[in-house]
Amino acid sequence: MEHGYKVFILPNPKGVRTADFIFSIKNIYIVYDLKTIQGKASAGTRLLESIGQSNRVLLYMATDYNARLLASDIKSYFETNPKALEVLIFKSKKKLSITRRFVLNPMFNRLFRRMYEK
């Protein structure tokens, strides 16, 4: 809600892999799987866990995370998951939307690090 979305929490039935949230902004509804990043090298694992739950992942960065490592993890996620559409990153009050198109840009690593470290 802090980033301007209406948020709907989805039920999480035991034993069923599902998305966690529906975000609504300007009458557009988007489903995300939430992954909270607390460890120093856990984003890659958490992204891979989301495959099959939703085509969009929200990474909530609860720790300082190396931008170069995160860029590499995101790129690997898109390479591994052909259905992936977006990785949305919430870092403090900052919101970054990373799409497949952006990851395919030859300057992705440099541009991502600049955005993430601002």
Side-chain angles (χ1 to χ4, degrees), residues 51-87:
I51 295 175
Q53 293 180 300
S54 174
N55 295 336
R56 298 174 189 269
V57 179
L58 166 61
L59 293 181
Y60 176 74
M61 307 307 288
T63 187
D64 288 330
Y65 202 89
N66 181 284
R68 183 172 299 204
L69 179 57
L70 186 55
S72 176
D73 290 341
I74 292 169
K75 190 169 191 167
S76 293
Y77 167 72
F78 277 104
E79 290 169 349
T80 304
N81 184 4
K83 294 182 180 182
L85 299 174
E86 178 186 25
V87 174

Coordinates of all heavy atoms in Angstrom, one line a residue, residues 51-87:
I51 N 8.9 -20.1 -9.3 CA 8.5 -20.6 -10.6 C 7.3 -21.6 -10.4 O 7.4 -22.5 -9.6 CB 9.7 -21.3 -11.3 CG1 10.8 -20.3 -11.7 CG2 9.2 -22.0 -12.6 CD1 12.0 -20.9 -12.2
G52 N 6.3 -21.4 -11.2 CA 5.1 -22.2 -11.1 C 4.0 -21.6 -10.2 O 2.9 -22.0 -10.1
Q53 N 4.4 -20.5 -9.5 CA 3.4 -19.8 -8.6 C 2.8 -18.6 -9.3 O 1.6 -18.4 -9.1 CB 4.0 -19.4 -7.3 CG 4.4 -20.6 -6.4 CD 5.1 -20.2 -5.1 OE1 6.1 -19.6 -5.1 NE2 4.5 -20.6 -4.0
S54 N 3.6 -17.9 -10.0 CA 3.1 -16.7 -10.7 C 4.2 -16.3 -11.7 O 5.3 -16.7 -11.5 CB 2.9 -15.6 -9.7 OG 2.6 -14.4 -10.4
N55 N 3.8 -15.5 -12.7 CA 4.8 -15.1 -13.7 C 5.4 -13.8 -13.2 O 6.2 -13.2 -13.9 CB 4.1 -14.8 -15.0 CG 3.6 -16.1 -15.6 OD1 4.1 -17.2 -15.3 ND2 2.6 -16.0 -16.5
R56 N 5.0 -13.3 -12.1 CA 5.5 -12.0 -11.5 C 5.9 -12.3 -10.1 O 5.2 -12.9 -9.3 CB 4.5 -10.9 -11.6 CG 4.1 -10.6 -13.0 CD 3.0 -9.6 -13.0 NE 2.4 -9.4 -14.3 CZ 2.8 -8.5 -15.2 NH1 3.8 -7.7 -14.9 NH2 2.2 -8.4 -16.4
V57 N 7.1 -11.8 -9.7 CA 7.6 -12.0 -8.4 C 7.9 -10.6 -7.7 O 8.4 -9.7 -8.4 CB 8.9 -12.8 -8.4 CG1 9.5 -13.0 -7.0 CG2 8.7 -14.1 -9.0
L58 N 7.5 -10.5 -6.5 CA 7.8 -9.3 -5.7 C 8.9 -9.7 -4.7 O 8.8 -10.6 -3.9 CB 6.6 -8.8 -4.9 CG 6.9 -7.8 -3.8 CD1 7.5 -6.5 -4.4 CD2 5.6 -7.5 -3.1
L59 N 10.1 -9.0 -4.9 CA 11.2 -9.2 -3.9 C 11.1 -8.1 -2.9 O 11.3 -6.9 -3.3 CB 12.6 -9.2 -4.6 CG 12.9 -10.3 -5.6 CD1 14.3 -10.2 -6.1 CD2 12.8 -11.7 -4.9
Y60 N 10.9 -8.4 -1.7 CA 10.9 -7.4 -0.6 C 12.3 -7.5 0.0 O 12.6 -8.5 0.7 CB 9.8 -7.7 0.4 CG 9.9 -6.7 1.6 CD1 9.5 -5.4 1.4 CD2 10.3 -7.2 2.8 CE1 9.6 -4.5 2.5 CE2 10.4 -6.3 3.9 CZ 10.0 -5.0 3.7 OH 10.1 -4.1 4.8
M61 N 13.1 -6.5 -0.1 CA 14.5 -6.5 0.3 C 14.6 -6.1 1.8 O 14.5 -4.9 2.1 CB 15.4 -5.6 -0.6 CG 15.3 -5.9 -2.1 SD 15.6 -7.7 -2.5 CE 17.3 -7.8 -2.2
A62 N 14.7 -7.0 2.7 CA 14.7 -6.8 4.1 C 16.2 -6.7 4.6 O 16.4 -6.6 5.8 CB 14.0 -7.8 4.9
T63 N 17.1 -6.7 3.7 CA 18.5 -6.7 4.0 C 19.3 -5.9 2.9 O 18.7 -5.7 1.8 CB 19.1 -8.1 4.2 OG1 20.4 -8.0 4.6 CG2 19.1 -8.8 2.9
D64 N 20.5 -5.5 3.2 CA 21.3 -4.9 2.2 C 21.8 -6.1 1.3 O 22.2 -7.1 1.8 CB 22.6 -4.2 2.8 CG 22.2 -2.9 3.5 OD1 21.2 -2.3 3.0 OD2 22.9 -2.5 4.4
Y65 N 21.7 -5.9 0.0 CA 22.0 -7.0 -0.9 C 22.9 -6.5 -2.0 O 22.6 -5.4 -2.5 CB 20.7 -7.6 -1.5 CG 20.8 -9.0 -2.0 CD1 20.5 -10.1 -1.1 CD2 21.1 -9.2 -3.3 CE1 20.6 -11.4 -1.6 CE2 21.2 -10.5 -3.8 CZ 21.0 -11.6 -2.9 OH 21.1 -12.9 -3.4
N66 N 23.9 -7.2 -2.3 CA 24.8 -6.8 -3.3 C 24.1 -6.7 -4.7 O 23.5 -7.6 -5.2 CB 25.9 -7.9 -3.4 CG 27.0 -7.5 -4.5 OD1 26.7 -7.7 -5.7 ND2 28.1 -7.1 -4.0
A67 N 24.2 -5.5 -5.3 CA 23.5 -5.2 -6.5 C 24.0 -6.0 -7.7 O 23.2 -6.5 -8.5 CB 23.7 -3.7 -6.9
R68 N 25.3 -6.3 -7.7 CA 25.8 -7.1 -8.8 C 25.3 -8.6 -8.7 O 24.9 -9.2 -9.7 CB 27.3 -7.1 -8.8 CG 28.0 -7.9 -9.9 CD 29.4 -7.7 -9.9 NE 29.6 -6.3 -10.0 CZ 30.7 -5.7 -10.5 NH1 31.7 -6.4 -10.8 NH2 30.8 -4.4 -10.7
L69 N 25.2 -9.1 -7.5 CA 24.7 -10.5 -7.3 C 23.2 -10.5 -7.6 O 22.7 -11.4 -8.3 CB 25.0 -10.9 -5.9 CG 24.4 -12.3 -5.5 CD1 25.0 -13.4 -6.4 CD2 24.8 -12.6 -4.0
L70 N 22.5 -9.5 -7.2 CA 21.0 -9.5 -7.5 C 20.8 -9.4 -9.0 O 19.9 -10.1 -9.5 CB 20.4 -8.3 -6.7 CG 18.9 -8.2 -6.8 CD1 18.2 -9.5 -6.3 CD2 18.3 -7.0 -6.0
A71 N 21.5 -8.6 -9.7 CA 21.4 -8.5 -11.1 C 21.6 -9.8 -11.8 O 20.8 -10.3 -12.7 CB 22.3 -7.4 -11.7
S72 N 22.6 -10.5 -11.3 CA 22.9 -11.9 -11.9 C 21.8 -12.9 -11.5 O 21.4 -13.7 -12.4 CB 24.2 -12.4 -11.3 OG 24.5 -13.7 -11.7
D73 N 21.2 -12.8 -10.3 CA 20.2 -13.7 -9.9 C 18.9 -13.4 -10.7 O 18.2 -14.4 -11.1 CB 19.8 -13.5 -8.4 CG 20.9 -14.0 -7.5 OD1 21.7 -14.8 -7.9 OD2 20.9 -13.5 -6.3
I74 N 18.6 -12.2 -11.0 CA 17.4 -11.8 -11.8 C 17.6 -12.3 -13.2 O 16.7 -12.9 -13.8 CB 17.1 -10.3 -11.7 CG1 16.7 -9.9 -10.3 CG2 16.1 -9.9 -12.7 CD1 16.6 -8.4 -10.0
K75 N 18.7 -12.1 -13.8 CA 19.0 -12.5 -15.1 C 18.9 -14.0 -15.2 O 18.2 -14.6 -16.2 CB 20.4 -12.1 -15.6 CG 20.6 -12.3 -17.0 CD 21.9 -11.6 -17.5 CE 22.0 -11.6 -19.0 NZ 23.0 -10.7 -19.5
S76 N 19.4 -14.8 -14.3 CA 19.3 -16.2 -14.3 C 17.8 -16.7 -14.2 O 17.4 -17.6 -14.8 CB 20.1 -16.8 -13.1 OG 21.4 -16.6 -13.3
Y77 N 17.0 -16.0 -13.3 CA 15.6 -16.3 -13.2 C 14.9 -16.2 -14.5 O 14.1 -17.0 -14.9 CB 15.0 -15.3 -12.1 CG 13.5 -15.4 -12.1 CD1 12.8 -16.4 -11.6 CD2 12.8 -14.3 -12.6 CE1 11.4 -16.5 -11.6 CE2 11.4 -14.3 -12.6 CZ 10.7 -15.4 -12.1 OH 9.3 -15.4 -12.1
F78 N 15.1 -15.1 -15.3 CA 14.5 -14.9 -16.5 C 14.9 -15.9 -17.6 O 14.2 -16.4 -18.4 CB 14.7 -13.5 -17.1 CG 13.7 -12.5 -16.5 CD1 14.1 -11.6 -15.5 CD2 12.4 -12.4 -16.9 CE1 13.2 -10.7 -15.0 CE2 11.5 -11.5 -16.4 CZ 11.9 -10.6 -15.4
E79 N 16.2 -16.3 -17.5 CA 16.7 -17.4 -18.4 C 16.1 -18.7 -18.1 O 15.9 -19.5 -19.0 CB 18.3 -17.4 -18.3 CG 18.9 -16.2 -18.9 CD 20.4 -16.1 -18.6 OE1 20.9 -16.9 -17.7 OE2 21.1 -15.2 -19.2
T80 N 15.9 -19.0 -16.8 CA 15.4 -20.3 -16.4 C 13.9 -20.4 -16.6 O 13.4 -21.5 -16.8 CB 15.7 -20.5 -14.9 OG1 17.1 -20.4 -14.7 CG2 15.2 -21.9 -14.4
N81 N 13.2 -19.3 -16.5 CA 11.7 -19.3 -16.5 C 11.2 -18.5 -17.7 O 11.1 -17.3 -17.7 CB 11.2 -18.7 -15.2 CG 9.7 -18.7 -15.1 OD1 9.0 -19.3 -16.0 ND2 9.1 -18.1 -14.1
P82 N 10.9 -19.2 -18.8 CA 10.5 -18.5 -20.0 C 9.1 -17.8 -19.9 O 8.8 -16.9 -20.7 CB 10.4 -19.6 -21.1 CG 10.4 -20.9 -20.3 CD 11.0 -20.6 -19.0
K83 N 8.4 -18.1 -18.9 CA 7.1 -17.5 -18.7 C 7.1 -16.3 -17.8 O 6.1 -15.6 -17.6 CB 6.1 -18.5 -18.1 CG 5.8 -19.7 -19.0 CD 4.8 -20.6 -18.4 CE 4.4 -21.7 -19.3 NZ 3.4 -22.6 -18.8
A84 N 8.3 -16.0 -17.2 CA 8.4 -14.9 -16.3 C 8.2 -13.6 -17.0 O 8.7 -13.4 -18.1 CB 9.8 -14.9 -15.6
L85 N 7.5 -12.7 -16.4 CA 7.2 -11.4 -16.9 C 7.9 -10.2 -16.2 O 8.3 -9.2 -16.9 CB 5.7 -11.1 -16.9 CG 4.8 -12.1 -17.7 CD1 3.3 -11.8 -17.5 CD2 5.2 -12.0 -19.2
E86 N 7.9 -10.3 -14.9 CA 8.4 -9.2 -14.1 C 9.0 -9.6 -12.8 O 8.5 -10.5 -12.1 CB 7.3 -8.2 -13.9 CG 7.6 -7.0 -13.1 CD 6.5 -6.1 -12.8 OE1 5.3 -6.6 -12.7 OE2 6.7 -4.9 -12.5
V87 N 10.0 -8.9 -12.3 CA 10.5 -9.0 -10.9 C 10.3 -7.6 -10.4 O 10.9 -6.6 -10.9 CB 11.9 -9.5 -10.8 CG1 12.4 -9.4 -9.4 CG2 12.1 -10.9 -11.4

